[in-house]
Amino acid sequence: MNFKSKLPNISTTIFTEMSALAKTHNALNLSQGFPDYPSSQKLNNLVSTAMDNGYNQYAPMAGNLELRLAITKKYNLLYKSTYHPDKEITITAGATQAIFTIISAFIHKNDEVIIFKPAYDCYEPAVQINGGITIAVQLSAPNYQVDWAEVASKISSKTRVIIINTPHNPSGTIWSKGDMLQLQKLTANTDIIVLSDEVYEHVVFDNQEHQSVCLYPDLKQRSFITASFGKIFHNTGWKIGYCCAPEALMAEFRKVHQFNVFSVHHPSQKGIADYMKDAATFLELHNFFQRKRDLFLNLISESRFKFQPAQGTYFQVLDYSEITDEYDVDFAKRLTAEFKIASIPLSVFNTNNHDDKVLRFCFAKTDETLVRAAEILNMI
Ligand code: PMP
Ligand code: GLN
């Protein structure tokens, strides 16, 4: 059959590719970001209780109300910021659907979307499929600092959306208050929408604070926040997330959302709402992951990989330039096949596959997996 592809240059994602390669070679899989330990038994039980108690039919289009109330409470607690549960919060099928739906709702043909590279892989195809054009700002290892003068030079009358992501996947860096103020200044008095992908909001290390757009009033009124329970509660397979935005933006979002998924898995929403009654379930997350990051980095401190400790997320970037000058995709594949450890090469997220000779390793793993991973990395 003949058809014209809407995404002619897109192939299977690197996450799928590397996870499949890990399986083929029976390698330790630190590539795709997911935990190798179970999700909480208490949470699992709450979801099955929800099923037993009849939460088996369509949830309201915006999502289960108790869950939206739990989210309102969380933003009040953490940021003293209010999102109205009826009008400003929608539960989605993971952050990915929220991101796709936001872009579908607001991007017209030839609208421009500014993204920062390395960029999480779902942003660019979503823009393309909706007829938009991505304008990239390339950040460089090891600090991935933003040159705000460059951003300013790339904003035009066609700029419709700026996508930001702090804590940042894949680099593990976070944005400072200064970055947020720069963004606020550059977007002031414009109609630019900010899509703030905050899926790792609870995973910020070393006593630093997460910079949510909701802390900055002028940013808040133009922003969507996207979030993922898969990342918070160690169950990426459930694909439940949410987004928050001021009422007018959210009303537009829901016009698309209702015909995209309408609503998402109801018992999981009810179970998560009950689980979140104990705020420790998300407030303690950074300690849990910081201990894992430190364990992993201590174990590989004598290896030939160089690193700056991740400031957030559950990913650690390792620089292998002292080991080889191979292209990162080739090196990642060779490590998987020969050394039985899989990672993610960063160049695939960069403009023109720019190669900083760094690989991303996921440390959302049992201590035992991290010890085995370190043994391998120390041999390379
Ligand atoms: N954004 C970023 C930065 C991510 O790392 C991920 C992957 N978890 C997502 C969005 C998508 O989240 P979800 O699995 O909830 O769709
Ligand atoms: N967010 C996950 C990661 O960064 C991957 C999710 C996916 O495979 N699409 O590894």
Side-chain angles (χ1 to χ4, degrees):
M1 267 179 63
N2 283 321
F3 58 85
K4 193 172 163 202
S5 173
K6 294 188 83 173
L7 296 172
N9 302 318
I10 298 287
S11 54
T12 309
T13 80
I14 190 72
F15 305 119
T16 304
E17 193 182 347
M18 292 309 297
S19 274
L21 202 65
K23 212 166 180 181
T24 305
H25 293 286
N26 201 16
L28 220 48
N29 189 1
L30 274 63
S31 65
Q32 194 178 20
F34 63 86
D36 70 344
Y37 44 83
S39 98
S40 141
Q41 190 57 53
K42 182 177 169 195
L43 176 54
N44 295 353
N45 291 345
L46 287 168
V47 175
S48 32
T49 304
M51 287 185 188
D52 293 342
N53 288 342
Y55 287 82
N56 300 306
Q57 310 309 331
Y58 292 126
M61 186 265 276
N64 173 280
L65 181 58
E66 287 173 68
L67 182 54
R68 285 181 279 135
L69 283 164
I71 293 166
T72 299
K73 206 168 149 194
K74 185 182 93 168
Y75 281 87
N76 274 320
L77 173 74
L78 285 176
Y79 311 108
K80 298 192 173 45
S81 181
T82 299
Y83 284 100
H84 193 284
D86 285 335
K87 299 190 165 82
E88 300 185 316
I89 298 171
T90 302
I91 311 301
T92 59
T96 310
Q97 184 240 312
I99 292 163
F100 194 90
T101 303
I102 294 163
I103 292 169
S104 302
F106 293 96
I107 292 302
H108 294 257
K109 195 166 168 24
N110 294 331
D111 280 350
E112 292 182 358
V113 177
I114 295 183
I115 61 171
F116 295 86
K117 293 205 164 193
Y120 184 62
D121 68 343
C122 78
Y123 306 153
E124 206 159 11
V127 174
Q128 264 177 36
I129 211 162
N130 285 290
I133 297 164
T134 50
I135 305 291
V137 175
Q138 178 67 56
L139 311 178
S140 288
N143 296 322
Y144 301 91
Q145 291 256 314
V146 180
D147 173 351
W148 286 101
E150 184 188 350
V151 181
S153 76
K154 290 191 167 162
I155 292 179
S156 77
S157 57
K158 289 186 181 164
T159 309
R160 186 91 287 269
V161 172
I162 299 179
I163 304 180
I164 68 169
N165 170 220
T166 181
H168 183 239
N169 179 11
S171 74
T173 54
I174 57 173
W175 278 14
S176 66
K177 193 171 180 176
D179 289 315
M180 303 307 282
L181 291 172
Q182 291 278 3
L183 180 67
Q184 180 162 257
K185 197 165 124 198
L186 285 183
T187 51
N189 305 315
T190 70
D191 290 323
I192 295 172
I193 292 167
V194 173
L195 192 174
S196 183
D197 185 0
E198 303 187 13
V199 298
Y200 300 101
E201 79 180 296
H202 301 302
V203 193
V204 174
F205 306 131
D206 305 319
N207 301 316
Q208 303 257 43
E209 279 176 10
H210 170 57
Q211 298 297 328
S212 174
V213 281
C214 72
L215 291 166
Y216 300 84
D218 195 66
L219 283 179
K220 181 179 175 180
Q221 54 97 18
R222 64 177 69 255
S223 294
F224 277 92
I225 292 174
T226 58
S228 168
F229 289 113
K231 297 292 169 189
I232 304 175
F233 295 136
H234 319 287
N235 48 22
T236 61
W238 293 13
K239 292 298 292 187
I240 311 285
Y242 66 87
C243 64
C244 309
E247 182 175 348
L249 294 180
M250 189 54 81
E252 204 58 29
F253 174 92
R254 288 182 182 172
K255 287 184 192 171
V256 181
H257 175 78
Q258 65 185 343
F259 298 119
N260 189 2
V261 290
F262 184 74
S263 66
V264 304
H265 195 255
H266 201 170
S268 303
Q269 295 187 53
K270 168 66 175 153
I272 292 170
D274 289 338
Y275 192 61
M276 285 177 74
K277 284 180 184 154
D278 177 7
T281 53
F282 50 89
L283 292 180
E284 293 301 317
L285 204 61
H286 63 106
N287 291 328
F288 175 82
F289 282 123
Q290 183 164 328
R291 196 193 64 75
K292 291 209 175 281
R293 179 202 65 174
D294 292 346
L295 171 70
F296 183 54
L297 292 184
N298 281 333
L299 288 167
I300 61 166
S301 60
E302 303 291 311
S303 76
R304 290 199 290 159
F305 291 94
K306 290 183 291 183
F307 54 79
Q308 298 202 358
Q311 298 172 305
T313 76
Y314 50 50
F315 303 115
Q316 177 63 49
V317 162
L318 299 182
D319 174 323
Y320 64 84
S321 57
E322 280 183 8
I323 300 171
T324 173
D325 61 4
E326 271 166 283
Y327 176 45
D328 65 353
V329 175
D330 296 337
F331 187 50
K333 289 184 177 170
R334 189 164 72 80
L335 285 185
T336 311
E338 285 179 23
F339 290 89
K340 310 287 179 214
I341 186 161
S343 57
I344 296 287
L346 259 71
S347 68
V348 299
F349 307 116
N350 285 336
T351 305
N352 298 327
N353 293 341
H354 166 81
D355 179 13
D356 282 317
K357 311 280 176 222
V358 286
L359 301 175
R360 188 198 83 175
F361 292 80
C362 174
F363 56 82
K365 303 292 167 190
T366 62
D367 291 0
E368 189 198 356
T369 304
L370 295 175
V371 168
R372 280 168 57 213
E375 280 166 8
I376 298 173
L377 295 175
N378 287 336
M379 284 179 342
I380 296 165

